[in-house]
Amino acid sequence: MTPVTAGTAAVDARWLARTVELAVENVANGGGPFGALIVKNGELIAEGQNRVTANLDPTAHAEVVAIRAACQVVGDFSLAGATLYTSCEPCPLCLAAALWARVDRVVFTADRHDAARGGFDDREFYELFGKERTEWHIPIDSVRTDDAPAPFDAWLSRPDRTDY
């Protein structure tokens, strides 16, 4: 866990204020109440706003949009050394995206309870992941075919692959 000093807290507050601005602007434009940005070495790399309804894309959360944009800016799928700032506690999708992007830190201002009050009950997803899959409302079935490992065999046979 990164120690938060008075200086760090002031910097965090400044970046978080921008995420809230992005979220409020997005609401004014008919979008969802979420904004995010990626910062590295004190510089803004990319911003994102929730585009789920605008793009008809359930994965276009502000954090994912910001991560996608930042990766294009830096020319890499890794955002190691960067911080993801977001106007709300990341849902499991966004948290997974941050982990895959390898950001060094995630900082948020509103939390899952604020989101629930706004009609975005991310708590349900957090609770769902804590349950056995047999208790989920959607079946998650494994059907093992004979060729199931073929994509991984093909991957491992490529000496020019980019590991991640």
Side-chain angles (χ1 to χ4, degrees):
M1 189 169 196
T2 305
V4 177
T5 64
T8 304
V11 170
D12 289 347
R14 183 171 60 91
W15 291 119
L16 288 171
R18 178 62 185 147
T19 69
V20 172
E21 288 174 10
L22 287 168
V24 172
E25 288 172 9
N26 204 45
V27 170
N29 293 322
F34 303 97
L37 43 94
I38 303 290
V39 174
K40 186 171 182 179
N41 298 325
E43 293 187 29
L44 177 65
I45 304 298
E47 296 181 332
Q49 293 171 305
N50 181 283
R51 305 298 301 157
V52 170
T53 57
N55 295 0
L56 303 178
D57 179 354
T59 68
H61 293 200
E63 296 90 339
V64 173
V65 171
I67 288 168
R68 288 174 180 161
C71 287
Q72 293 302 303
V73 168
V74 301
D76 198 342
F77 60 84
S78 173
L79 296 174
T83 299
L84 167 63
Y85 287 96
T86 179
S87 64
C88 189
E89 180 178 6
C91 72
L93 168 76
C94 296
L95 190 55
L99 292 168
W100 277 111
R102 291 159 175 78
V103 299
D104 283 12
R105 186 169 175 239
V106 176
V107 183
F108 62 89
T109 186
D111 64 20
R112 66 183 78 173
H113 307 292
D114 296 308
R117 187 178 63 79
F120 300 88
D121 204 352
D122 298 353
R123 293 179 303 187
E124 289 182 22
F125 293 113
Y126 280 104
E127 291 168 5
L128 180 67
F129 287 122
K131 295 179 181 179
E132 291 294 322
R133 285 190 180 168
T134 56
E135 298 177 42
W136 289 23
H137 69 282
I138 181 175
I140 308 294
D141 299 320
S142 174
V143 179
R144 182 100 181 152
T145 59
D146 291 340
D147 61 350
F152 299 103
D153 294 340
W155 171 258
L156 291 170
S157 72
R158 290 199 56 120
D160 62 338
R161 71 180 178 268
T162 302
D163 290 326
Y164 59 99

